[in-house]
Amino acid sequence: MTQDTPQKGPGDGLRAYGLRNRYVFEGKLEMKTGLHIGGGKATLSHTDSPVVLTPDGLPFIPGSSFKGTLRSTIEKIVAPFPADLGLHSCGLPTEESEDESCPTARQQGIVKERRENAKKADLILKEARENLCHTCQLFGSPFAAARITVNDLY
């Protein structure tokens, strides 16, 4: 996991992010229930989706799958927190929500606004990035890259 700090970019006023801290978490994942992450290939086995395997034939969990599950879990944990804690998660709504402060929940409207106001498109994008919820800041959104990287779990 990394924490980024905004740095001044080229003369266009956009900001780039530089690596400030890097944290590496290592551990052992113990399964309490069954787990199946399909590989999407056709197989002669009696399951519809084969388990993802390394070239050596060992099962593993793709980092993207674990990251998605981690994000979903964090969204569920953060949602009931009281507002005075200062943590917010938009929960990646499936429909546009004008009431939501996170731009990810209003992405279609923001895209439309940027198209209609081409001269202000960079400013609109900058404002969207500044107003992302904490979950979107960490895991990424259509407006900003993720600040966390999750490698495959072996």
Side-chain angles (χ1 to χ4, degrees):
M1 180 171 88
T2 62
Q3 289 185 350
D4 303 327
T5 55
Q7 298 176 345
K8 292 189 177 188
D12 61 4
L14 295 177
R15 293 182 170 199
Y17 286 90
L19 184 64
R20 184 178 63 185
N21 294 321
R22 179 180 177 141
Y23 302 97
V24 177
F25 297 93
E26 294 182 8
K28 184 176 180 181
L29 184 64
E30 183 178 323
M31 306 310 302
K32 300 281 185 180
T33 62
L35 171 74
H36 179 80
I37 298 173
K41 295 181 181 177
T43 180
L44 297 176
S45 75
H46 35 307
T47 63
D48 290 338
S49 184
V51 173
V52 180
L53 302 174
T54 66
D56 297 332
L58 300 172
F60 75 100
I61 300 172
S64 59
S65 296
F66 189 78
K67 180 180 170 185
T69 301
L70 182 61
R71 178 182 186 138
S72 177
T73 302
I74 288 174
E75 288 170 346
K76 291 173 187 169
I77 291 171
V78 170
F81 284 0
D84 61 340
L85 285 180
L87 293 174
H88 174 68
S89 179
C90 69
L92 290 177
T94 56
E95 297 177 7
E96 287 279 307
S97 175
E98 291 299 323
D99 299 334
E100 174 58 53
S101 61
C102 180
T104 303
R106 300 176 281 112
Q107 60 184 299
Q108 291 174 350
I110 291 172
V111 168
K112 183 180 176 184
E113 182 182 1
R114 290 183 72 212
R115 284 188 186 135
E116 292 172 355
N117 300 299
K119 292 181 180 179
K120 294 183 178 180
D122 289 340
L123 179 62
I124 294 167
L125 180 60
K126 180 183 175 197
E127 289 174 0
R129 288 180 176 157
E130 290 172 352
N131 293 312
L132 289 171
C133 72
H134 294 98
T135 308
C136 289
Q137 288 175 22
L138 181 61
F139 289 95
S141 81
F143 303 108
R147 294 183 180 180
I148 184 172
T149 302
V150 179
N151 295 324
D152 295 341
L153 285 73
Y154 296 96

